[in-house]
Amino acid sequence: NPVPDPKMAAQGRLNYDFPQFFKETGHFFTQPLRWTGSDWLAAGAVTAAAAIAFAFETAPPDSSAFKTRQYYSSIPITIGRMYGEFYTIPIAFVGYSIAYFISGDAKFRKIGYEIGQTGIYAGLTVLALKSIVGRARPIAFEGTNNKFYPFTNPLNPKNHDAFPSGHTTAAFALTSVLSKNADLPWWGHVLLYIPATMTGISRIYQGNHWLSDVVFGAGLGYFVGNWVYDEHERAEAKLNEKSLIEIKSLYPFTISIALN
């Protein structure tokens, strides 16, 4: 197990380093083996929501139907797309890392670490699902929403990589980390999710994804981000529960036990 350095341990903090990342990566990808009833219920709820969305999807009339839409390149749609792009999470990671090196505030280190970690876990999960499911995108224009090409080549998907929405997954993963670490009223947390919601809307509006792709991606990103945050909270709680024994003097001999 990684041993926290004295400065971090004194704050009840983990190291947030590579050894910790590798250990937690094993925990993440084997976690379904340890799921409880509530975990299976949450997974079932996301899957059910995606299935309901699937039932309401309709195929576009033709392949050019999306680019002729009035707001295809509008500012809200463009911002929503950009928030879920591959570069957004790395930019956020670098930003918090710089903030940590400048200020020395361990909170920035933790948030930056969780953003990078969540991005990697969500990205790998999305790539695996896209390849396995091989769902045709709306812009592939195959006349229906139920065209699947399992085990599609991820390097050359030919628009057969719709499920789940990677942009939406990344957007909700990033937002969930920011939200969990923010001390805000409930409406502040709601506001934080507006850009991520716009990401999902933009992916549907521009014809890159079906509604069910976005619904499942949103749930996946949300739960990955929350898992990373909760994993660290549990580990930090264990550190804080440890008793600290200190010998104050040799004579008279006294021992103090500090319980957090």
Side-chain angles (χ1 to χ4, degrees):
N1 295 331
V3 178
D5 62 58
K7 182 178 179 180
M8 299 291 270
Q11 302 175 33
R13 299 283 182 180
L14 301 171
N15 277 336
Y16 297 106
D17 53 12
F18 283 110
Q20 178 185 329
F21 171 78
F22 292 131
K23 177 183 177 182
E24 291 174 349
T25 298
H27 289 173
F28 176 79
F29 287 106
T30 60
Q31 63 168 313
L33 301 176
R34 298 182 296 276
W35 277 0
T36 61
S38 60
D39 297 315
W40 285 108
L41 182 62
V46 172
T47 303
I52 293 173
F54 179 87
F56 287 93
E57 295 166 350
T58 56
D62 59 68
S63 58
S64 64
F66 298 103
K67 291 187 178 181
T68 58
R69 286 182 169 179
Q70 181 179 0
Y71 302 107
Y72 184 89
S73 299
S74 65
I75 292 176
I77 294 298
T78 300
I79 291 176
R81 175 188 58 78
M82 292 176 63
Y83 187 73
E85 286 286 1
F86 70 93
Y87 49 71
T88 304
I89 286 180
I91 288 174
F93 170 78
V94 171
Y96 276 98
S97 298
I98 292 174
Y100 166 70
F101 284 116
I102 293 176
S103 67
D105 189 338
K107 182 71 172 179
F108 291 133
R109 178 186 178 116
K110 175 181 183 292
I111 296 175
Y113 181 93
E114 290 180 347
I115 288 173
Q117 188 176 20
T118 299
I120 291 172
Y121 294 168
L124 291 175
T125 304
V126 165
L127 285 176
L129 288 174
K130 281 180 176 292
S131 176
I132 293 171
V133 177
R135 188 184 192 188
R137 294 175 182 263
I139 56 175
F141 187 57
E142 300 199 11
T144 178
N145 69 336
N146 62 357
K147 290 289 187 178
F148 296 91
Y149 304 86
F151 302 103
T152 292
N153 180 0
L155 300 179
N156 187 27
K158 298 179 180 178
N159 282 328
H160 295 157
D161 57 347
F163 183 88
S165 168
H167 281 67
T168 307
T169 302
F172 274 83
L174 172 60
T175 301
S176 64
V177 171
L178 297 177
S179 177
K180 294 290 284 188
N181 281 285
D183 185 14
L184 297 171
W186 67 267
W187 53 265
H189 293 282
V190 171
L191 291 177
L192 280 178
Y193 276 94
I194 291 179
T197 302
M198 285 306 303
T199 297
I201 293 173
S202 73
R203 300 308 284 168
I204 297 172
Y205 192 80
Q206 293 185 331
N208 289 285
H209 288 286
W210 304 94
L211 176 61
S212 54
D213 303 332
V214 167
V215 170
F216 190 89
L220 176 61
Y222 175 84
F223 286 114
V224 171
N226 276 262
W227 183 91
V228 168
Y229 176 86
D230 292 341
E231 181 79 355
H232 297 155
E233 289 299 299
R234 287 189 292 266
E236 288 186 352
K238 289 182 180 178
L239 284 178
N240 291 332
E241 287 173 358
K242 291 182 179 179
S243 301
L244 302 178
I245 302 178
E246 175 188 6
I247 299 178
K248 287 190 172 181
S249 63
L250 294 178
Y251 183 83
F253 184 76
T254 58
I255 296 179
S256 66
I257 302 177
L259 297 176
N260 293 322

